[in-house]
Amino acid sequence: MAPPPAAAAAAARCYPQVLRMGLRPAPWSPLPFASRVATTPLRVPPLRFSLSPVPKSITSPSSSHIPVRSLFTGIVEEVGRVRRIGPPSTPPGGGGGDAPGVDLEVETKNLLAGTQLGDSVAVDGTCLTVAAIDAAASTLTFGVAPETLRCTSLGERVTGDDVNLERALTPASRMGGHFVQGHVDGTGEIAAFRPEGDSIWVTVRAPPEILRLLVPKGFVAVDGTSLTVVNVNEEEGWFDFMLVRYTQDNVVLPKKKVGDKVNLEADILGKYVVKLLAGRMEATSKAES
C-alpha cells in the first residue's frame, strides 16, 4: 500500500535530504501490533504526519540581552497551559499572505524568572523565540511561523491545552537527558498505550525517514521529552518506549489519546551517521563507475 499522497508530498517537501541520499523508505504497510503491545487488534486511522528540516519562529524585537539558544536536554521543566493561540495582535510588516503565522501565549509558573526577550524555549519540543513577557499574567508569548504550523503539532493546539516547556541550556545546566535541538524532524501518531506495573508502554507510528534514524536503546525526543527507544519496526512503521511513573506525572504525553499527533526529533548523532554513510556510498559508486 502506498503512503497517503498528502503524507508523501510532505515528506518530499520537508525532509528532502534523506530522499536525496537514496535511502528510500521501506514499503508502506499497515500496523499489526505485536501481542505484547495490545491484546486485541487495534484499528488506527491512516497516519497523518509531516516532516520539517528546521522549525522557524517570528523573531522578537532586538534588545541588548544576548539570547540563550538553542540546545535542550529533553528534561521537561514545566507543563504550561495555552492561554491564547491566534493571529498576532500586531501583524509583522511585510509577508504573511494567505498563511500568516500565529502568536502562542503560554501560561507558566516557573519559567518567567531569568527568561528574557529573544531567549529560546522548547514548546512541545519545538524551539521557539520569546517575543513577549507578561509578568502580571504569568505568560510567555511566542511567534510561530506558517512552516512551523505545517510541520509540527503546534497548529492543533487550542486554548486550555497543556504543553511541555524547557528553556535552553546554559553553561551551568546539568545534562540530564540528551542533546535536543528543538528542530522537530516530523510528527508521528500515538498508536497504543499499555500499562505494565506502574509504567506505561507507548507505541508511536512514524514516517520511514524518522524510523531509520532510531535504534533500540537510543534516544528520541517525543514532544520535547527525552526518552529511550525500546523497539523499532521499520516494516510496520512504529517504535515504542516506556514511561516511568515520575515521567507520567511531569509531561503531557499520558494525557493524550490514541490518534493524537506528537512532535518527533531523532538523535542528532544518527543524522550525522546517515549523512556520512550516504556520502561514502556516493563516493564509492562514482569510483566504481
Side-chain angles (χ1 to χ4, degrees):
M1 183 187 302
R13 174 176 60 81
C14 291
Y15 206 95
Q17 61 267 42
V18 171
L19 301 182
R20 286 200 300 267
M21 292 174 189
L23 303 176
R24 298 298 177 186
W28 186 267
S29 62
L31 178 62
F33 293 103
S35 59
R36 72 167 187 79
V37 177
T39 56
T40 58
L42 294 174
R43 299 186 180 278
V44 180
L47 175 63
R48 302 172 294 114
F49 63 80
S50 56
L51 297 160
S52 171
V54 179
K56 305 179 183 69
S57 60
I58 299 174
T59 57
S60 64
S62 60
S63 69
S64 60
H65 169 63
I66 299 176
V68 178
R69 51 175 99 237
S70 282
L71 189 63
F72 308 91
T73 68
I75 304 300
V76 175
E77 289 188 79
E78 181 185 347
V79 173
R81 179 156 296 176
V82 175
R83 175 75 64 86
R84 186 183 76 87
I85 182 167
S89 54
T90 304
D98 296 329
V102 300
D103 274 357
L104 174 63
E105 185 178 0
V106 179
E107 184 178 348
T108 170
K109 297 178 181 178
N110 304 320
L111 266 62
L112 292 179
T115 299
Q116 301 189 44
L117 295 178
D119 280 352
S120 293
V121 176
V123 181
D124 272 354
T126 306
C127 180
L128 299 176
T129 301
V130 177
I133 301 173
D134 188 335
S138 294
T139 61
L140 300 174
T141 299
F142 310 90
V144 187
E147 182 71 0
T148 304
L149 295 174
R150 286 189 291 267
C151 294
T152 72
S153 66
L154 292 182
E156 298 186 359
R157 300 282 69 78
V158 297
T159 299
D161 279 356
D162 290 338
V163 289
N164 293 327
L165 300 175
E166 182 192 356
R167 289 170 292 188
L169 280 171
T170 69
S173 300
R174 297 183 65 178
M175 186 67 198
H178 73 284
F179 290 125
V180 177
Q181 295 179 291
H183 299 168
V184 174
D185 292 314
T187 59
E189 241 180 48
I190 298 174
F193 290 105
R194 185 177 72 86
E196 183 176 336
D198 65 353
S199 297
I200 298 177
W201 284 98
V202 184
T203 302
V204 175
R205 294 188 64 174
E209 293 79 13
I210 293 179
L211 286 172
R212 69 180 62 256
L213 298 174
L214 305 183
V215 295
K217 311 306 179 187
F219 290 118
V220 65
V222 180
D223 279 346
T225 305
S226 176
L227 296 166
T228 301
V229 177
V230 178
N231 298 291
V232 181
N233 192 321
E234 290 191 53
E235 291 184 358
E236 297 176 1
W238 58 268
F239 71 95
D240 64 9
F241 51 88
M242 293 192 81
L243 296 178
V244 298
R245 169 62 62 186
Y246 180 85
T247 305
Q248 294 171 44
D249 293 340
N250 289 278
V251 302
V252 174
L253 190 57
K255 302 177 184 178
K256 293 193 171 185
K257 60 184 183 299
V258 170
D260 282 353
K261 275 187 180 182
V262 289
N263 291 325
L264 302 175
E265 182 185 335
D267 189 356
I268 184 63
L269 294 178
K271 300 172 192 177
Y272 282 125
V273 169
V274 167
K275 183 173 182 179
L276 289 171
L277 288 177
R280 177 64 62 87
M281 292 167 60
E282 182 179 356
T284 300
S285 177
K286 288 181 179 180
E288 293 175 349
S289 61

